[in-house]
mmCIF file of all heavy atoms in Angstrom:
data_model
loop_
_atom_site.group_PDB
_atom_site.id
_atom_site.type_symbol
_atom_site.label_atom_id
_atom_site.label_comp_id
_atom_site.label_asym_id
_atom_site.label_seq_id
_atom_site.Cartn_x
_atom_site.Cartn_y
_atom_site.Cartn_z
ATOM 1 N N GLU I 17 -3.866 5.901 -4.074
ATOM 2 C CA GLU I 17 -3.535 6.874 -3.002
ATOM 3 C C GLU I 17 -2.378 6.336 -2.116
ATOM 4 O O GLU I 17 -1.990 7.037 -1.214
ATOM 5 C CB GLU I 17 -4.788 7.138 -2.116
ATOM 6 C CG GLU I 17 -5.844 7.906 -2.857
ATOM 7 C CD GLU I 17 -7.102 8.134 -1.988
ATOM 8 O OE1 GLU I 17 -7.179 7.552 -0.857
ATOM 9 O OE2 GLU I 17 -7.951 8.922 -2.452
ATOM 10 N N ASN I 18 -1.875 5.182 -2.372
ATOM 11 C CA ASN I 18 -0.844 4.592 -1.586
ATOM 12 C C ASN I 18 0.445 5.348 -1.724
ATOM 13 O O ASN I 18 0.999 5.457 -2.828
ATOM 14 C CB ASN I 18 -0.630 3.144 -2.013
ATOM 15 C CG ASN I 18 0.368 2.355 -1.142
ATOM 16 O OD1 ASN I 18 1.460 2.882 -0.905
ATOM 17 N ND2 ASN I 18 0.035 1.150 -0.778
ATOM 18 N N PRO I 19 1.000 5.903 -0.641
ATOM 19 C CA PRO I 19 2.198 6.791 -0.743
ATOM 20 C C PRO I 19 3.405 6.008 -1.338
ATOM 21 O O PRO I 19 4.183 6.604 -2.054
ATOM 22 C CB PRO I 19 2.491 7.157 0.737
ATOM 23 C CG PRO I 19 1.200 6.984 1.439
ATOM 24 C CD PRO I 19 0.450 5.910 0.722
ATOM 25 N N SER I 20 3.569 4.694 -1.026
ATOM 26 C CA SER I 20 4.656 3.965 -1.580
ATOM 27 C C SER I 20 4.530 3.795 -3.082
ATOM 28 O O SER I 20 5.531 3.855 -3.843
ATOM 29 C CB SER I 20 4.736 2.581 -0.883
ATOM 30 O OG SER I 20 4.968 2.688 0.469
ATOM 31 N N ILE I 21 3.332 3.556 -3.571
ATOM 32 C CA ILE I 21 3.106 3.411 -5.031
ATOM 33 C C ILE I 21 3.333 4.761 -5.679
ATOM 34 O O ILE I 21 4.004 4.851 -6.700
ATOM 35 C CB ILE I 21 1.674 2.880 -5.300
ATOM 36 C CG1 ILE I 21 1.470 1.498 -4.704
ATOM 37 C CG2 ILE I 21 1.404 2.920 -6.813
ATOM 38 C CD1 ILE I 21 2.406 0.446 -5.237
ATOM 39 N N LYS I 22 2.853 5.783 -5.096
ATOM 40 C CA LYS I 22 3.034 7.158 -5.670
ATOM 41 C C LYS I 22 4.538 7.477 -5.763
ATOM 42 O O LYS I 22 5.040 8.050 -6.735
ATOM 43 C CB LYS I 22 2.343 8.228 -4.817
ATOM 44 C CG LYS I 22 0.836 8.148 -4.919
ATOM 45 C CD LYS I 22 0.170 9.025 -3.896
ATOM 46 C CE LYS I 22 -0.549 10.128 -4.594
ATOM 47 N NZ LYS I 22 -1.290 10.995 -3.689
ATOM 48 N N GLN I 23 5.283 7.145 -4.702
ATOM 49 C CA GLN I 23 6.708 7.386 -4.704
ATOM 50 C C GLN I 23 7.452 6.592 -5.757
ATOM 51 O O GLN I 23 8.350 7.071 -6.393
ATOM 52 C CB GLN I 23 7.292 7.119 -3.312
ATOM 53 C CG GLN I 23 8.816 7.406 -3.195
ATOM 54 C CD GLN I 23 9.355 7.136 -1.816
ATOM 55 O OE1 GLN I 23 8.582 6.735 -0.864
ATOM 56 N NE2 GLN I 23 10.616 7.378 -1.627
ATOM 57 N N CYS I 24 7.018 5.333 -5.898
ATOM 58 C CA CYS I 24 7.661 4.477 -6.910
ATOM 59 C C CYS I 24 7.447 5.054 -8.309
ATOM 60 O O CYS I 24 8.388 5.051 -9.123
ATOM 61 C CB CYS I 24 7.025 3.067 -6.816
ATOM 62 S SG CYS I 24 7.731 1.863 -7.940
ATOM 63 N N TYR I 25 6.268 5.537 -8.626
ATOM 64 C CA TYR I 25 6.005 6.153 -9.877
ATOM 65 C C TYR I 25 6.830 7.440 -10.052
ATOM 66 O O TYR I 25 7.436 7.688 -11.085
ATOM 67 C CB TYR I 25 4.567 6.463 -10.120
ATOM 68 C CG TYR I 25 3.806 5.280 -10.730
ATOM 69 C CD1 TYR I 25 3.102 4.400 -9.939
ATOM 70 C CD2 TYR I 25 3.815 5.092 -12.129
ATOM 71 C CE1 TYR I 25 2.435 3.328 -10.503
ATOM 72 C CE2 TYR I 25 3.185 4.018 -12.668
ATOM 73 C CZ TYR I 25 2.494 3.107 -11.874
ATOM 74 O OH TYR I 25 1.867 2.055 -12.410
ATOM 75 N N LYS I 26 6.873 8.276 -8.975
ATOM 76 C CA LYS I 26 7.580 9.527 -9.046
ATOM 77 C C LYS I 26 9.061 9.332 -9.240
ATOM 78 O O LYS I 26 9.690 10.041 -10.065
ATOM 79 C CB LYS I 26 7.289 10.315 -7.790
ATOM 80 C CG LYS I 26 7.967 11.685 -7.746
ATOM 81 C CD LYS I 26 7.663 12.381 -6.445
ATOM 82 C CE LYS I 26 8.401 13.721 -6.416
ATOM 83 N NZ LYS I 26 8.167 14.414 -5.150
ATOM 84 N N GLU I 27 9.612 8.427 -8.538
ATOM 85 C CA GLU I 27 11.108 8.200 -8.543
ATOM 86 C C GLU I 27 11.613 7.244 -9.595
ATOM 87 O O GLU I 27 12.763 7.298 -9.935
ATOM 88 C CB GLU I 27 11.586 7.801 -7.158
ATOM 89 C CG GLU I 27 11.327 8.854 -6.077
ATOM 90 C CD GLU I 27 11.807 8.362 -4.749
ATOM 91 O OE1 GLU I 27 12.451 7.310 -4.610
ATOM 92 O OE2 GLU I 27 11.557 9.109 -3.767
ATOM 93 N N TYR I 28 10.749 6.331 -10.105
ATOM 94 C CA TYR I 28 11.234 5.311 -11.022
ATOM 95 C C TYR I 28 10.391 5.076 -12.243
ATOM 96 O O TYR I 28 10.887 5.090 -13.385
ATOM 97 C CB TYR I 28 11.466 3.983 -10.207
ATOM 98 C CG TYR I 28 12.136 2.957 -11.079
ATOM 99 C CD1 TYR I 28 13.443 3.051 -11.470
ATOM 100 C CD2 TYR I 28 11.423 1.866 -11.534
ATOM 101 C CE1 TYR I 28 14.059 2.135 -12.231
ATOM 102 C CE2 TYR I 28 11.999 0.876 -12.325
ATOM 103 C CZ TYR I 28 13.339 1.024 -12.651
ATOM 104 O OH TYR I 28 13.923 0.061 -13.486
ATOM 105 N N LEU I 29 9.111 4.815 -12.027
ATOM 106 C CA LEU I 29 8.303 4.401 -13.181
ATOM 107 C C LEU I 29 7.798 5.539 -14.058
ATOM 108 O O LEU I 29 7.435 5.288 -15.218
ATOM 109 C CB LEU I 29 7.097 3.614 -12.688
ATOM 110 C CG LEU I 29 7.387 2.248 -12.039
ATOM 111 C CD1 LEU I 29 6.111 1.678 -11.374
ATOM 112 C CD2 LEU I 29 7.962 1.291 -13.016
ATOM 113 N N GLY I 30 7.775 6.755 -13.566
ATOM 114 C CA GLY I 30 7.224 7.858 -14.331
ATOM 115 C C GLY I 30 5.695 7.854 -14.203
ATOM 116 O O GLY I 30 5.192 7.476 -13.127
ATOM 117 N N ALA I 31 4.987 8.238 -15.189
ATOM 118 C CA ALA I 31 3.529 8.291 -15.145
ATOM 119 C C ALA I 31 2.852 6.950 -15.311
ATOM 120 O O ALA I 31 3.354 6.117 -16.042
ATOM 121 C CB ALA I 31 3.029 9.206 -16.220
ATOM 122 N N PRO I 32 1.765 6.737 -14.594
ATOM 123 C CA PRO I 32 0.957 5.525 -14.880
ATOM 124 C C PRO I 32 0.599 5.521 -16.348
ATOM 125 O O PRO I 32 0.271 6.541 -16.959
ATOM 126 C CB PRO I 32 -0.285 5.731 -14.020
ATOM 127 C CG PRO I 32 0.123 6.611 -12.854
ATOM 128 C CD PRO I 32 1.138 7.556 -13.529
ATOM 129 N N LEU I 33 0.707 4.346 -16.965
ATOM 130 C CA LEU I 33 0.472 4.100 -18.355
ATOM 131 C C LEU I 33 1.549 4.790 -19.256
ATOM 132 O O LEU I 33 1.432 4.833 -20.481
ATOM 133 C CB LEU I 33 -0.947 4.569 -18.820
ATOM 134 C CG LEU I 33 -2.065 3.909 -18.061
ATOM 135 C CD1 LEU I 33 -3.398 4.537 -18.489
ATOM 136 C CD2 LEU I 33 -2.085 2.404 -18.210
ATOM 137 N N GLY I 34 2.598 5.347 -18.601
ATOM 138 C CA GLY I 34 3.678 5.906 -19.399
ATOM 139 C C GLY I 34 4.573 4.810 -20.006
ATOM 140 O O GLY I 34 4.366 3.611 -19.744
ATOM 141 N N GLU I 35 5.520 5.216 -20.840
ATOM 142 C CA GLU I 35 6.321 4.264 -21.590
ATOM 143 C C GLU I 35 7.076 3.263 -20.645
ATOM 144 O O GLU I 35 6.996 2.075 -20.834
ATOM 145 C CB GLU I 35 7.306 4.990 -22.451
ATOM 146 C CG GLU I 35 8.101 4.061 -23.305
ATOM 147 C CD GLU I 35 9.078 4.730 -24.213
ATOM 148 O OE1 GLU I 35 8.893 5.942 -24.493
ATOM 149 O OE2 GLU I 35 10.002 4.105 -24.716
ATOM 150 N N LYS I 36 7.726 3.799 -19.597
ATOM 151 C CA LYS I 36 8.519 2.902 -18.711
ATOM 152 C C LYS I 36 7.606 2.018 -17.931
ATOM 153 O O LYS I 36 7.877 0.802 -17.826
ATOM 154 C CB LYS I 36 9.433 3.759 -17.830
ATOM 155 C CG LYS I 36 10.400 2.862 -17.031
ATOM 156 C CD LYS I 36 11.420 3.808 -16.337
ATOM 157 C CE LYS I 36 12.507 2.968 -15.689
ATOM 158 N NZ LYS I 36 13.494 3.880 -15.051
ATOM 159 N N SER I 37 6.565 2.597 -17.355
ATOM 160 C CA SER I 37 5.698 1.727 -16.532
ATOM 161 C C SER I 37 4.972 0.714 -17.379
ATOM 162 O O SER I 37 4.809 -0.463 -16.966
ATOM 163 C CB SER I 37 4.669 2.600 -15.707
ATOM 164 O OG SER I 37 3.835 3.321 -16.580
ATOM 165 N N HIS I 38 4.596 1.110 -18.573
ATOM 166 C CA HIS I 38 3.914 0.127 -19.460
ATOM 167 C C HIS I 38 4.911 -1.000 -19.828
ATOM 168 O O HIS I 38 4.471 -2.163 -19.811
ATOM 169 C CB HIS I 38 3.441 0.853 -20.743
ATOM 170 C CG HIS I 38 2.667 -0.044 -21.645
ATOM 171 N ND1 HIS I 38 1.393 -0.457 -21.407
ATOM 172 C CD2 HIS I 38 3.083 -0.755 -22.735
ATOM 173 C CE1 HIS I 38 0.968 -1.252 -22.375
ATOM 174 N NE2 HIS I 38 1.978 -1.462 -23.181
ATOM 175 N N HIS I 39 6.076 -0.616 -20.173
ATOM 176 C CA HIS I 39 7.081 -1.676 -20.573
ATOM 177 C C HIS I 39 7.355 -2.654 -19.438
ATOM 178 O O HIS I 39 7.469 -3.835 -19.617
ATOM 179 C CB HIS I 39 8.355 -0.957 -20.998
ATOM 180 C CG HIS I 39 9.484 -1.939 -21.285
ATOM 181 N ND1 HIS I 39 9.524 -2.709 -22.406
ATOM 182 C CD2 HIS I 39 10.571 -2.238 -20.574
ATOM 183 C CE1 HIS I 39 10.565 -3.494 -22.379
ATOM 184 N NE2 HIS I 39 11.261 -3.253 -21.296
ATOM 185 N N LEU I 40 7.446 -2.142 -18.178
ATOM 186 C CA LEU I 40 7.841 -2.942 -17.068
ATOM 187 C C LEU I 40 6.673 -3.725 -16.387
ATOM 188 O O LEU I 40 6.836 -4.771 -15.820
ATOM 189 C CB LEU I 40 8.566 -2.147 -15.973
ATOM 190 C CG LEU I 40 9.937 -1.571 -16.437
ATOM 191 C CD1 LEU I 40 10.465 -0.581 -15.363
ATOM 192 C CD2 LEU I 40 10.909 -2.713 -16.650
ATOM 193 N N LEU I 41 5.469 -3.139 -16.476
ATOM 194 C CA LEU I 41 4.383 -3.719 -15.742
ATOM 195 C C LEU I 41 3.320 -4.439 -16.590
ATOM 196 O O LEU I 41 2.387 -4.998 -16.042
ATOM 197 C CB LEU I 41 3.649 -2.605 -14.947
ATOM 198 C CG LEU I 41 4.557 -1.814 -13.915
ATOM 199 C CD1 LEU I 41 3.779 -0.723 -13.274
ATOM 200 C CD2 LEU I 41 5.112 -2.792 -12.925
ATOM 201 N N HIS I 42 3.515 -4.416 -17.892
ATOM 202 C CA HIS I 42 2.560 -5.124 -18.782
ATOM 203 C C HIS I 42 3.259 -6.243 -19.533
ATOM 204 O O HIS I 42 4.440 -6.176 -19.747
ATOM 205 C CB HIS I 42 1.931 -4.149 -19.753
ATOM 206 C CG HIS I 42 1.060 -3.150 -19.070
ATOM 207 N ND1 HIS I 42 1.590 -2.025 -18.501
ATOM 208 C CD2 HIS I 42 -0.269 -3.137 -18.807
ATOM 209 C CE1 HIS I 42 0.601 -1.280 -17.945
ATOM 210 N NE2 HIS I 42 -0.530 -1.947 -18.123
ATOM 211 N N THR I 43 2.498 -7.168 -19.942
ATOM 212 C CA THR I 43 3.074 -8.308 -20.750
ATOM 213 C C THR I 43 2.210 -8.624 -21.913
ATOM 214 O O THR I 43 1.029 -8.309 -21.953
ATOM 215 C CB THR I 43 3.235 -9.570 -19.859
ATOM 216 O OG1 THR I 43 3.974 -10.578 -20.567
ATOM 217 C CG2 THR I 43 1.883 -10.117 -19.362
ATOM 218 N N ASP I 44 2.836 -9.252 -22.866
ATOM 219 C CA ASP I 44 2.091 -9.677 -24.079
ATOM 220 C C ASP I 44 2.366 -11.233 -24.153
ATOM 221 O O ASP I 44 3.420 -11.611 -24.668
ATOM 222 C CB ASP I 44 2.580 -8.970 -25.305
ATOM 223 C CG ASP I 44 1.872 -9.445 -26.567
ATOM 224 O OD1 ASP I 44 1.110 -10.452 -26.530
ATOM 225 O OD2 ASP I 44 2.063 -8.806 -27.631
ATOM 226 N N GLN I 45 1.406 -12.018 -23.637
ATOM 227 C CA GLN I 45 1.691 -13.444 -23.568
ATOM 228 C C GLN I 45 1.854 -14.063 -24.933
ATOM 229 O O GLN I 45 2.414 -15.144 -25.055
ATOM 230 C CB GLN I 45 0.598 -14.158 -22.778
ATOM 231 C CG GLN I 45 -0.768 -14.126 -23.424
ATOM 232 C CD GLN I 45 -1.573 -12.865 -23.091
ATOM 233 O OE1 GLN I 45 -1.039 -11.907 -22.591
ATOM 234 N NE2 GLN I 45 -2.881 -12.922 -23.343
ATOM 235 N N SER I 46 1.405 -13.388 -26.015
ATOM 236 C CA SER I 46 1.620 -14.004 -27.348
ATOM 237 C C SER I 46 3.094 -13.969 -27.732
ATOM 238 O O SER I 46 3.494 -14.707 -28.635
ATOM 239 C CB SER I 46 0.779 -13.199 -28.406
ATOM 240 O OG SER I 46 1.319 -11.895 -28.567
ATOM 241 N N LYS I 47 3.930 -13.193 -27.048
ATOM 242 C CA LYS I 47 5.340 -13.150 -27.343
ATOM 243 C C LYS I 47 6.139 -14.031 -26.410
ATOM 244 O O LYS I 47 7.378 -14.120 -26.513
ATOM 245 C CB LYS I 47 5.829 -11.655 -27.281
ATOM 246 C CG LYS I 47 5.217 -10.835 -28.328
ATOM 247 C CD LYS I 47 5.693 -9.407 -28.220
ATOM 248 C CE LYS I 47 5.068 -8.555 -29.294
ATOM 249 N NZ LYS I 47 5.507 -7.164 -29.192
ATOM 250 N N TRP I 48 5.533 -14.676 -25.476
ATOM 251 C CA TRP I 48 6.285 -15.560 -24.563
ATOM 252 C C TRP I 48 6.875 -16.737 -25.281
ATOM 253 O O TRP I 48 6.197 -17.342 -26.115
ATOM 254 C CB TRP I 48 5.382 -16.079 -23.422
ATOM 255 C CG TRP I 48 4.883 -15.053 -22.446
ATOM 256 C CD1 TRP I 48 5.171 -13.678 -22.456
ATOM 257 C CD2 TRP I 48 3.961 -15.298 -21.440
ATOM 258 N NE1 TRP I 48 4.516 -13.076 -21.438
ATOM 259 C CE2 TRP I 48 3.747 -13.999 -20.793
ATOM 260 C CE3 TRP I 48 3.251 -16.369 -20.993
ATOM 261 C CZ2 TRP I 48 2.913 -13.874 -19.715
ATOM 262 C CZ3 TRP I 48 2.389 -16.212 -19.870
ATOM 263 C CH2 TRP I 48 2.226 -15.006 -19.275
ATOM 264 N N GLU I 49 8.015 -17.094 -24.947
ATOM 265 C CA GLU I 49 8.627 -18.314 -25.483
ATOM 266 C C GLU I 49 8.556 -19.369 -24.385
ATOM 267 O O GLU I 49 9.127 -19.286 -23.320
ATOM 268 C CB GLU I 49 10.106 -18.055 -25.840
ATOM 269 C CG GLU I 49 10.279 -17.162 -27.030
ATOM 270 C CD GLU I 49 11.743 -17.022 -27.427
ATOM 271 O OE1 GLU I 49 12.459 -18.051 -27.320
ATOM 272 O OE2 GLU I 49 12.107 -15.945 -27.868
ATOM 273 N N LEU I 50 7.767 -20.395 -24.679
ATOM 274 C CA LEU I 50 7.595 -21.485 -23.715
ATOM 275 C C LEU I 50 8.417 -22.655 -24.156
ATOM 276 O O LEU I 50 8.554 -22.978 -25.304
ATOM 277 C CB LEU I 50 6.089 -21.876 -23.672
ATOM 278 C CG LEU I 50 5.141 -20.750 -23.257
ATOM 279 C CD1 LEU I 50 3.724 -21.220 -23.377
ATOM 280 C CD2 LEU I 50 5.458 -20.244 -21.879
#
């Protein structure tokens, strides 16, 4: 319900769990190069 979070999704990330938000907000540690 946070207006700032809602605005961020509306203006930049798209839908929660959408392609862009998933790409930017999730990680796969098995692909990390250490």
Side-chain angles (χ1 to χ4, degrees):
E17 294 179 350
N18 184 313
S20 297
I21 299 298
K22 289 171 117 177
Q23 182 178 0
C24 182
Y25 272 97
K26 182 180 178 182
E27 295 179 7
Y28 185 69
L29 292 172
L33 303 177
E35 185 178 340
K36 188 172 189 177
S37 62
H38 182 80
H39 174 74
L40 294 172
L41 302 176
H42 295 83
T43 188
D44 180 351
Q45 67 274 14
S46 68
K47 295 180 181 177
W48 292 356
E49 290 185 36
L50 302 175

